[in-house]
Amino acid sequence: MPELPEVETIANGLRSGSDDHPGIVGLTITRAQVLWRGTIAQPDPESFQAGLIGQQIISIGRRAKYLILNLSAGHLIIHLRMSGDLLVEHAQDPIPKHHRIILYLGEVWRLAFNDARKFGRTWLVDNLQVVFDKIGPEPLDESFSHEHFFERLAQKQRQLKPLLLDQGFIAGLGNIYTDEALHLSGLHPLRKASSLSPEEAAQLLSNIRLVLQAGIRHHGASIDWVYRGGDFQNFFQVYRRTGQPCRQCATPIQRIVVGQRGTHFCPRCQPFKEG
DNA sequence: CACGAGACCTGTTCGC
DNA sequence: TGCGAACAGGTCTCGT
């Protein structure tokens, strides 16, 4: 389900709460229920469970597409992958299908990790570097300059689409926001990264920031049966708009497969050229 | 290093 | 209506 804007939205919701439930910062984990052991990446499920009991949630953060619960000792890191979701529920409610891990927060509330496809993973670690070691720069970090981005692109002979999806190259982009950013930039998804001019690179980074910020402003995108309340899907220019007219030039949007991912672009606004 | 295929999973939608 | 294929917001690993 989530890319950077969706994870950011979830982090914000856990901090601030909603009409239905409070924020969870300050609450203490009283019990941990593991319904699917495969969801735990590190440490072993028994240590994971035992290590969470009695921990207070101090703050909530995000890095790339990972959610971070900073605890009184250590960090609970969560990656939702394709179908994961985090839900704050009443502690005594019946347990819905696909719940994988449940953390009881005091007597009244619980935080549930629901994940139909079981791709999601959690880590309980003392040092964040264990997980974030090879993650690339945060695109919204202002210290990440256009010049630096251009230099990184210039070193790569790869196609833009798979490169932007590579979390070691740049953090947080997924299939939606990559297609949208390339469209805004007028760049073909198969264009070689090293062929971009400094101006094209600067435009691309600006547009990456633009679509990510728009996504956050709209509380993420909600598609398929995974609904979170965001409405950025209504503003897609190309993603899953195969055959529909480009909003800029009316040319039908095309879909190709790149690196086994559906890739959407406008053949007129994003002509293929090398350099 | 770059790329493609396969794996991990379940659910929904599409095409005949 | 039924049924298999295709597809899905992600990432890892292996072979070439």
Side-chain angles (χ1 to χ4, degrees), chain A residues 6 11 14 21 23 88 117 128 133 136 151 153 169 207 235:
Chain A
E6 288 76 26
L14 291 177
H21 60 81
V88 179
R117 292 178 73 177
L128 294 174
D133 192 29
E151 285 165 22
L153 286 167
F169 182 75
N207 287 323
F235 300 87

Side-chain angles (χ1 to χ4, degrees), chain A residues 29-65:
Chain A
I29 300 167
T30 50
R31 186 159 75 92
Q33 202 176 353
V34 177
L35 282 60
W36 181 255
R37 295 165 63 91
T39 298
I40 302 164
Q42 199 183 317
D44 63 272
E46 287 68 33
S47 312
F48 178 89
Q49 215 165 356
L52 285 170
I53 309 299
Q55 297 259 18
Q56 187 182 18
I57 299 167
I58 304 298
S59 64
I60 296 171
R62 177 195 61 75
R63 168 84 169 98
K65 301 173 191 172

